[in-house]
Every structure is written in C-alpha cells, then in structure tokens.
Amino acid sequence: EEKLGKCTFQISPGAFFQTNTAGAEKLYSMVVDRVKEVTNNPKDTLLVDVCCGTGTIGLTLMKEGVVGNLVGVDIAKPAILDARENAEKNGITTNTTRFVASPAEKVLPDEMKRISQSCPVVAVVDPARDGLHGTVLKTLRMTERIQRIVYVSCNPTGSL
C-alpha cells in the first residue's frame, strides 16, 4: 500500500506507480488545479483518464471533489484490477467509476460515444514514453465537449 495525498493505493507487482511520492503529490496538485479551472459543476463532470494505470490521478481528482464521475482506461489488466480496488479502498463507489482494461485506441472512440451529450467532460492522459496512439489523439481532439485535456508525461513529444 502507498499513501498519496488523501488516497491510499494498492499497487500490484508490475503495475506502474510514481516512485517519488512528494513529486507525484506536487504533480497531481497541478492536475487538480488545471481541471478545477474549467469545472463549473464538478459533481456532474466526467473525467476520462487515459492510460490510468492503478487509478491514482483519476481517484485523486474524485477524492478532491474536482470531478464526480470517472472512466479510466489502461492496457494493463492488473493495473485496472488495482484501480477498481483502489476506488473501493478510498470510498469511491462503482456507480461513479468505471475502469476498462484495453488498449485505449480500441475502446476510447466507443467510450466517448457512450457519454451523454449534455455531460461536461475533462480528460487526463498519462501515456508511456511512446506517447498516445494516433486514434486516441484524434478521438480526444474531435470530442468538442471536452473542456480541457491535461497531458501528463515524462516524454511530452512522444505523441507528436
């Protein structure tokens, strides 16, 4: 178990987790601030967390009250199982969160279509060093109701 901000996280072997807790808390605080700037009604706002891993960013935003709903997508099934456990561990209910184990490029277009047209949306992406798949970039850019995309990366030019 790891404590990060207001949340506690279970991290399975092989799942990615920020190793510098103080640095991660500062980074997540910046993400919270960027999302807060555009969420007029946080309880109704949906966060699409692409490459969500064990759910640390999305669940932090939920716990901070910045968003009210969360869809997380990650290619690693063990990380998604951790994310589901972490939501429960932090008192975040399954009726406000959904985590999908799949490559984002395979599910994101359909996931975006499932979202109500009246629902305010923000997105956070935290891809591996290779960056985001072109389909993911195109889907996010073409979804007009996304109020903000926050790109977290150790290699921000990886998708360019």
Side-chain angles (χ1 to χ4, degrees), residues 130-156:
D130 292 343
L132 293 172
H133 189 278
T135 300
V136 174
L137 288 170
K138 183 178 178 184
T139 300
L140 293 171
R141 288 185 52 114
M142 295 188 66
T143 305
E144 292 179 19
R145 65 188 179 282
I146 293 179
Q147 298 170 321
R148 175 157 290 164
I149 298 171
V150 179
Y151 195 114
V152 176
S153 178
C154 59
N155 184 19

Short mmCIF file of all heavy atoms in Angstrom, two decimals, residues 130-156:
data_model
loop_
_atom_site.label_atom_id
_atom_site.label_comp_id
_atom_site.label_asym_id
_atom_site.label_seq_id
_atom_site.Cartn_x
_atom_site.Cartn_y
_atom_site.Cartn_z
N ASP A 130 6.24 6.18 -25.19
CA ASP A 130 5.94 6.21 -26.62
C ASP A 130 4.86 7.23 -26.97
O ASP A 130 4.67 7.57 -28.13
CB ASP A 130 5.48 4.83 -27.11
CG ASP A 130 6.61 3.82 -27.08
OD1 ASP A 130 7.78 4.23 -27.00
OD2 ASP A 130 6.30 2.61 -27.13
N GLY A 131 4.12 7.69 -25.98
CA GLY A 131 3.05 8.66 -26.24
C GLY A 131 1.73 7.98 -26.55
O GLY A 131 1.56 6.78 -26.37
N LEU A 132 0.80 8.77 -27.04
CA LEU A 132 -0.55 8.29 -27.34
C LEU A 132 -0.66 7.80 -28.78
O LEU A 132 -0.05 8.36 -29.68
CB LEU A 132 -1.57 9.41 -27.13
CG LEU A 132 -1.77 9.87 -25.70
CD1 LEU A 132 -2.68 11.11 -25.67
CD2 LEU A 132 -2.37 8.77 -24.84
N HIS A 133 -1.47 6.79 -28.96
CA HIS A 133 -1.78 6.28 -30.29
C HIS A 133 -2.54 7.37 -31.05
O HIS A 133 -3.32 8.12 -30.48
CB HIS A 133 -2.64 5.02 -30.14
CG HIS A 133 -2.86 4.28 -31.40
ND1 HIS A 133 -3.83 4.64 -32.31
CD2 HIS A 133 -2.23 3.19 -31.91
CE1 HIS A 133 -3.80 3.80 -33.32
NE2 HIS A 133 -2.84 2.91 -33.11
N GLY A 134 -2.34 7.45 -32.36
CA GLY A 134 -3.00 8.45 -33.19
C GLY A 134 -4.51 8.44 -33.08
O GLY A 134 -5.17 9.49 -33.09
N THR A 135 -5.11 7.26 -32.93
CA THR A 135 -6.57 7.15 -32.78
C THR A 135 -7.04 7.83 -31.50
O THR A 135 -8.08 8.49 -31.48
CB THR A 135 -7.00 5.67 -32.79
OG1 THR A 135 -6.60 5.09 -34.03
CG2 THR A 135 -8.49 5.51 -32.59
N VAL A 136 -6.25 7.70 -30.44
CA VAL A 136 -6.60 8.33 -29.17
C VAL A 136 -6.53 9.85 -29.31
O VAL A 136 -7.45 10.57 -28.90
CB VAL A 136 -5.69 7.84 -28.03
CG1 VAL A 136 -5.95 8.60 -26.74
CG2 VAL A 136 -5.86 6.34 -27.83
N LEU A 137 -5.46 10.34 -29.92
CA LEU A 137 -5.32 11.79 -30.13
C LEU A 137 -6.48 12.33 -30.95
O LEU A 137 -7.09 13.34 -30.61
CB LEU A 137 -4.00 12.10 -30.84
CG LEU A 137 -2.73 11.93 -30.02
CD1 LEU A 137 -1.50 12.05 -30.91
CD2 LEU A 137 -2.68 12.96 -28.91
N LYS A 138 -6.81 11.65 -32.03
CA LYS A 138 -7.89 12.09 -32.91
C LYS A 138 -9.23 12.08 -32.17
O LYS A 138 -10.01 13.03 -32.28
CB LYS A 138 -7.96 11.19 -34.15
CG LYS A 138 -9.00 11.60 -35.15
CD LYS A 138 -8.98 10.70 -36.36
CE LYS A 138 -10.08 11.10 -37.33
NZ LYS A 138 -10.13 10.19 -38.47
N THR A 139 -9.49 11.03 -31.42
CA THR A 139 -10.75 10.93 -30.67
C THR A 139 -10.88 12.07 -29.67
O THR A 139 -11.94 12.71 -29.58
CB THR A 139 -10.83 9.57 -29.94
OG1 THR A 139 -10.79 8.53 -30.92
CG2 THR A 139 -12.11 9.46 -29.13
N LEU A 140 -9.82 12.34 -28.93
CA LEU A 140 -9.87 13.42 -27.94
C LEU A 140 -10.06 14.78 -28.62
O LEU A 140 -10.87 15.59 -28.18
CB LEU A 140 -8.61 13.42 -27.08
CG LEU A 140 -8.44 12.22 -26.15
CD1 LEU A 140 -7.06 12.24 -25.51
CD2 LEU A 140 -9.54 12.16 -25.10
N ARG A 141 -9.33 15.01 -29.68
CA ARG A 141 -9.43 16.31 -30.38
C ARG A 141 -10.79 16.52 -31.02
O ARG A 141 -11.25 17.65 -31.14
CB ARG A 141 -8.33 16.42 -31.43
CG ARG A 141 -6.95 16.61 -30.82
CD ARG A 141 -5.92 16.84 -31.87
NE ARG A 141 -6.34 17.91 -32.76
CZ ARG A 141 -5.74 19.08 -32.87
NH1 ARG A 141 -4.68 19.32 -32.16
NH2 ARG A 141 -6.18 19.98 -33.70
N MET A 142 -11.44 15.45 -31.44
CA MET A 142 -12.73 15.58 -32.12
C MET A 142 -13.92 15.58 -31.16
O MET A 142 -15.05 15.75 -31.60
CB MET A 142 -12.87 14.48 -33.17
CG MET A 142 -11.83 14.66 -34.28
SD MET A 142 -12.05 13.57 -35.66
CE MET A 142 -13.59 14.16 -36.32
N THR A 143 -13.66 15.38 -29.88
CA THR A 143 -14.75 15.40 -28.90
C THR A 143 -14.88 16.82 -28.38
O THR A 143 -14.16 17.25 -27.48
CB THR A 143 -14.47 14.40 -27.76
OG1 THR A 143 -14.24 13.11 -28.32
CG2 THR A 143 -15.64 14.32 -26.80
N GLU A 144 -15.80 17.57 -28.97
CA GLU A 144 -15.92 19.00 -28.71
C GLU A 144 -16.28 19.33 -27.26
O GLU A 144 -15.93 20.40 -26.78
CB GLU A 144 -16.94 19.63 -29.65
CG GLU A 144 -16.47 19.63 -31.09
CD GLU A 144 -17.48 20.22 -32.04
OE1 GLU A 144 -18.39 20.95 -31.58
OE2 GLU A 144 -17.37 19.96 -33.24
N ARG A 145 -16.99 18.46 -26.59
CA ARG A 145 -17.43 18.79 -25.23
C ARG A 145 -16.34 18.59 -24.17
O ARG A 145 -16.57 18.85 -23.00
CB ARG A 145 -18.71 18.09 -24.87
CG ARG A 145 -18.63 16.61 -24.79
CD ARG A 145 -20.02 16.03 -24.61
NE ARG A 145 -19.99 14.61 -24.55
CZ ARG A 145 -19.86 13.80 -25.58
NH1 ARG A 145 -19.72 14.28 -26.79
NH2 ARG A 145 -19.85 12.50 -25.42
N ILE A 146 -15.17 18.13 -24.58
CA ILE A 146 -14.06 18.06 -23.62
C ILE A 146 -13.63 19.49 -23.33
O ILE A 146 -13.22 20.23 -24.21
CB ILE A 146 -12.88 17.23 -24.17
CG1 ILE A 146 -13.28 15.77 -24.30
CG2 ILE A 146 -11.67 17.37 -23.23
CD1 ILE A 146 -12.19 14.87 -24.83
N GLN A 147 -13.73 19.87 -22.07
CA GLN A 147 -13.42 21.24 -21.65
C GLN A 147 -11.92 21.47 -21.52
O GLN A 147 -11.44 22.58 -21.67
CB GLN A 147 -14.12 21.55 -20.34
CG GLN A 147 -15.63 21.49 -20.47
CD GLN A 147 -16.33 21.57 -19.15
OE1 GLN A 147 -15.88 21.01 -18.14
NE2 GLN A 147 -17.44 22.29 -19.13
N ARG A 148 -11.19 20.42 -21.19
CA ARG A 148 -9.74 20.54 -21.06
C ARG A 148 -9.12 19.16 -21.15
O ARG A 148 -9.67 18.18 -20.66
CB ARG A 148 -9.36 21.18 -19.74
CG ARG A 148 -7.83 21.19 -19.53
CD ARG A 148 -7.35 22.23 -18.57
NE ARG A 148 -7.51 23.56 -19.14
CZ ARG A 148 -7.46 24.67 -18.43
NH1 ARG A 148 -7.25 24.62 -17.14
NH2 ARG A 148 -7.60 25.85 -19.00
N ILE A 149 -7.94 19.10 -21.77
CA ILE A 149 -7.13 17.89 -21.78
C ILE A 149 -5.84 18.23 -21.03
O ILE A 149 -5.16 19.20 -21.37
CB ILE A 149 -6.79 17.43 -23.20
CG1 ILE A 149 -8.07 17.10 -23.98
CG2 ILE A 149 -5.85 16.22 -23.17
CD1 ILE A 149 -7.85 16.85 -25.46
N VAL A 150 -5.55 17.46 -20.01
CA VAL A 150 -4.30 17.62 -19.25
C VAL A 150 -3.40 16.46 -19.65
O VAL A 150 -3.75 15.30 -19.46
CB VAL A 150 -4.54 17.63 -17.72
CG1 VAL A 150 -3.22 17.78 -16.98
CG2 VAL A 150 -5.52 18.73 -17.33
N TYR A 151 -2.25 16.80 -20.22
CA TYR A 151 -1.30 15.79 -20.70
C TYR A 151 -0.16 15.69 -19.69
O TYR A 151 0.60 16.64 -19.51
CB TYR A 151 -0.77 16.22 -22.07
CG TYR A 151 -0.07 15.14 -22.84
CD1 TYR A 151 -0.59 14.64 -24.02
CD2 TYR A 151 1.15 14.62 -22.41
CE1 TYR A 151 0.07 13.66 -24.75
CE2 TYR A 151 1.81 13.65 -23.12
CZ TYR A 151 1.26 13.16 -24.30
OH TYR A 151 1.91 12.19 -25.01
N VAL A 152 -0.06 14.55 -19.03
CA VAL A 152 0.99 14.30 -18.05
C VAL A 152 1.96 13.32 -18.72
O VAL A 152 1.55 12.26 -19.16
CB VAL A 152 0.42 13.67 -16.76
CG1 VAL A 152 1.54 13.31 -15.80
CG2 VAL A 152 -0.59 14.59 -16.12
N SER A 153 3.24 13.69 -18.78
CA SER A 153 4.17 12.80 -19.46
C SER A 153 5.61 13.08 -19.10
O SER A 153 6.00 14.22 -18.88
CB SER A 153 4.00 12.96 -20.98
OG SER A 153 4.91 12.14 -21.67
N CYS A 154 6.39 12.01 -19.08
CA CYS A 154 7.83 12.15 -18.91
C CYS A 154 8.48 12.40 -20.27
O CYS A 154 9.66 12.72 -20.34
CB CYS A 154 8.41 10.90 -18.26
SG CYS A 154 8.11 9.41 -19.19
N ASN A 155 7.70 12.25 -21.35
CA ASN A 155 8.19 12.47 -22.71
C ASN A 155 7.08 13.12 -23.53
O ASN A 155 6.48 12.48 -24.37
CB ASN A 155 8.62 11.13 -23.32
CG ASN A 155 9.24 11.31 -24.70
OD1 ASN A 155 9.66 12.39 -25.07
ND2 ASN A 155 9.27 10.22 -25.46
N PRO A 156 6.79 14.41 -23.30
CA PRO A 156 5.64 15.04 -23.92
C PRO A 156 5.68 15.12 -25.44
O PRO A 156 4.66 15.30 -26.07
CB PRO A 156 5.62 16.44 -23.31
CG PRO A 156 6.97 16.65 -22.75
CD PRO A 156 7.53 15.30 -22.43
#
